[in-house]
Amino acid sequence: TGQGEYTVEVTELGANPAAVTFTYQKPVGPATVTIHFKTEAGQEVASRQQQTLDPGTHTIQPWPTDLQPDYVLAGDASFEVIVDERGAVPGEVTFIYELEQAVSEFVDITIYYVDKNSVPVATEEIRSLSEGLNQVAPQPKDLKEGYILADEATKPVSVSNDQANPPSLTFVYSLSTPTPTDEPTPTPPPAPKVALVPVIYRSEAGVELSRETVPAKEGEQTVVAADLTRVNAATYQLVGEAQQTVSVNSAGAATPSEVVFIFKDISIKTATLNVHYRDAEGKTLADSQTMELKPGTHPVTAPQAIGGLQLKGEQTVNITVSDTGVLSQAEVVFTYVKPATPTPEPTATPEPTTIPFDITPQDKYAYPNNDSINFRNTPEVKDGNVISTVGRKDLAHIIGSLKNRAGEDWYLVDVAGQQGFLKANVVTILSFNEAAAILGFTPSPAPTATPTT
């Protein structure tokens, strides 16, 4: 910044000026400011936005594109942001919103004044009532002479959602009778208390599905029945009682204070599970599977071997899907490793024994029928000839077959690089295709006979 060129005069007295200073500053470019729309409690009521501003001073105003219903701006209507070599200052601004307060609406009801035979004794009246519970007293303007109120001094009317309950009132009058002057005028009993009771329709997960308010009167048992039209019958089903009884005491308190009807989500929730087959380094060995599972427990089983690698860990994993479609784990990964060739301890392996039997060569594969099958170094059952124990997951390569001195059938096998003997009745021979699938190779098609002429 500043002057980019200076002239320096040099004489016998020296340079004039003696020093030249060039001043630099960091170039100022556009900067980004993040705009939030939240309540005082920090709840977001609209998606955050970002604006890129050029250097200078800018006034930021709120323009949310997806503001939640009934929220209005309650805080500052604008913020000033400066963009200079520091970037945007401030880098974030937050506009505060609050729920708009409901405006009380007035609802008109009709009030009738009649005698005990339902004959009018005064002109009907239209009266406007505000939101909430209203105690309405009769106010006839042209009541016929001689008639007195023979009904309650006040009657409750509940106004909610622009609806009055009940929508009209009727006050009953009767002809007055002379009262002896020496007898006191009886005091009318106090009007019964009325309470407005919330009725809530809620899912088992605690989500409120609908709400209404019903009046309950002192001295009466008010039965509140579930209005099933307030919820989606294809998704929710009522569980528990279909109706509840509310009572009101002399203090105007309702028992229960609110009525709650619980609904079960009966829609079928499925979940997608991904199953992978990888080696120890994470390399994919076979195509991953995608499974659509319904609520319940599902066993997921992997092949014992792929491409000559052996499965490490459990062959079957049980996956649970909750009623709301949540998986017990996000995915299943089966890992395969090279078959381990154990090096037996010198003291643990019996000395090799010469096999005094005729062995018929074979090339087959088999699995033991049970776990903890004795793997022996001679084809006979006796103490001291057990090399190790094998189980259902140990693949045995049958090298040959023989009969021992007792006439029993035995196999000479290789299990994980160790040779030994297994009795024929403790293994299950695999078919050629089964062995091919486990060992990870594709069998060649059988040769086709060439016709002779």
Side-chain angles (χ1 to χ4, degrees), residues 336-351:
Y336 293 79
V337 297
K338 292 181 179 180
T341 304
T343 303
E345 295 292 336
T347 57
T349 304
E351 292 293 328

Side-chain angles (χ1 to χ4, degrees), residues 207-292:
V207 178
E208 185 173 307
L209 307 176
S210 182
R211 175 187 287 261
E212 62 177 326
T213 303
V214 298
K217 189 175 181 181
E218 176 190 0
E220 298 180 358
Q221 297 292 314
T222 302
V223 177
V224 181
D227 182 359
L228 301 183
T229 62
R230 288 184 167 271
V231 299
N232 185 352
T235 304
Y236 294 100
Q237 182 182 70
L238 178 68
V239 294
E241 298 179 353
Q243 63 182 30
Q244 299 183 39
T245 301
V246 178
S247 60
V248 178
N249 61 19
S250 59
T255 303
S257 60
E258 64 179 18
V259 174
V260 179
F261 293 108
I262 301 298
F263 289 79
K264 178 182 180 180
D265 188 344
I266 58 174
S267 60
I268 298 177
K269 302 289 193 303
T270 61
T272 301
L273 176 70
N274 294 319
V275 183
H276 308 287
Y277 307 91
R278 299 170 181 163
D279 63 14
E281 286 73 37
K283 180 181 177 182
T284 299
L285 300 176
D287 291 339
S288 298
Q289 291 181 296
T290 300
M291 306 173 69
E292 291 293 330

Side-chain angles (χ1 to χ4, degrees), residues 366-425:
Y367 277 119
N369 294 334
N370 292 294
D371 293 322
S372 301
I373 299 294
N374 288 327
F375 188 34
R376 302 176 183 272
N377 67 347
T378 59
E380 55 190 343
V381 177
K382 71 175 184 177
D383 293 335
N385 71 339
V386 175
I387 301 173
S388 63
T389 58
V390 294
R392 291 184 177 93
K393 296 182 179 180
D394 295 308
L395 184 64
H397 182 196
I398 299 176
I399 301 171
S401 61
L402 68 147
K403 285 186 180 289
N404 64 6
R405 297 183 184 88
E408 299 171 327
D409 292 319
W410 286 73
Y411 290 125
L412 174 63
V413 302
D414 183 305
V415 177
Q418 174 71 51
Q419 288 192 6
F421 294 89
L422 289 174
K423 203 171 183 180
N425 63 356

Side-chain angles (χ1 to χ4, degrees), residues 157-239:
V157 177
S158 171
V159 176
S160 176
N161 299 324
D162 296 330
Q163 298 291 328
N165 183 22
S168 65
L169 292 177
T170 299
F171 288 96
V172 178
Y173 287 75
S174 63
L175 282 169
S176 62
T177 56
T179 302
T181 57
D182 57 345
E183 293 184 7
T185 302
T187 302
K193 296 289 193 307
V194 175
L196 288 179
V197 180
V199 180
I200 304 170
Y201 299 78
R202 184 177 293 156
S203 72
E204 289 181 316
V207 178
E208 185 173 307
L209 307 176
S210 182
R211 175 187 287 261
E212 62 177 326
T213 303
V214 298
K217 189 175 181 181
E218 176 190 0
E220 298 180 358
Q221 297 292 314
T222 302
V223 177
V224 181
D227 182 359
L228 301 183
T229 62
R230 288 184 167 271
V231 299
N232 185 352
T235 304
Y236 294 100
Q237 182 182 70
L238 178 68
V239 294

Side-chain angles (χ1 to χ4, degrees), residues 16-140:
N16 182 27
V20 175
T21 300
F22 292 95
T23 303
Y24 292 82
Q25 71 175 19
K26 184 179 180 181
V28 179
T32 300
V33 61
T34 302
I35 305 170
H36 303 275
F37 308 94
K38 298 182 179 180
T39 65
E40 284 285 1
Q43 174 190 351
E44 288 195 351
V45 296
S47 299
R48 69 183 64 180
Q49 299 175 352
Q50 288 189 327
Q51 289 188 21
T52 301
L53 307 176
D54 292 327
T57 301
H58 303 267
T59 300
I60 306 299
Q61 294 179 322
W63 297 103
T65 58
D66 54 356
L67 184 64
Q68 295 182 18
D70 301 326
Y71 277 90
V72 296
L73 186 66
D76 294 334
S78 65
F79 289 91
E80 186 176 274
V81 176
I82 299 174
V83 177
D84 54 20
E85 64 273 6
R86 299 171 298 171
V89 181
E92 297 187 7
V93 296
T94 300
F95 291 98
I96 302 300
Y97 286 77
E98 66 182 6
L99 278 173
E100 184 177 13
Q101 298 298 320
V103 179
S104 297
E105 298 290 341
F106 288 90
V107 176
D108 291 339
I109 68 166
T110 304
I111 304 175
Y112 301 95
Y113 304 99
V114 299
D115 63 14
K116 63 180 180 180
N117 296 317
S118 299
V119 176
V121 296
T123 304
E124 64 188 49
E125 174 192 356
I126 302 297
R127 193 177 302 182
S128 295
L129 302 179
S130 62
E131 187 86 6
L133 180 63
N134 298 264
Q135 294 291 346
V136 179
Q139 298 175 0

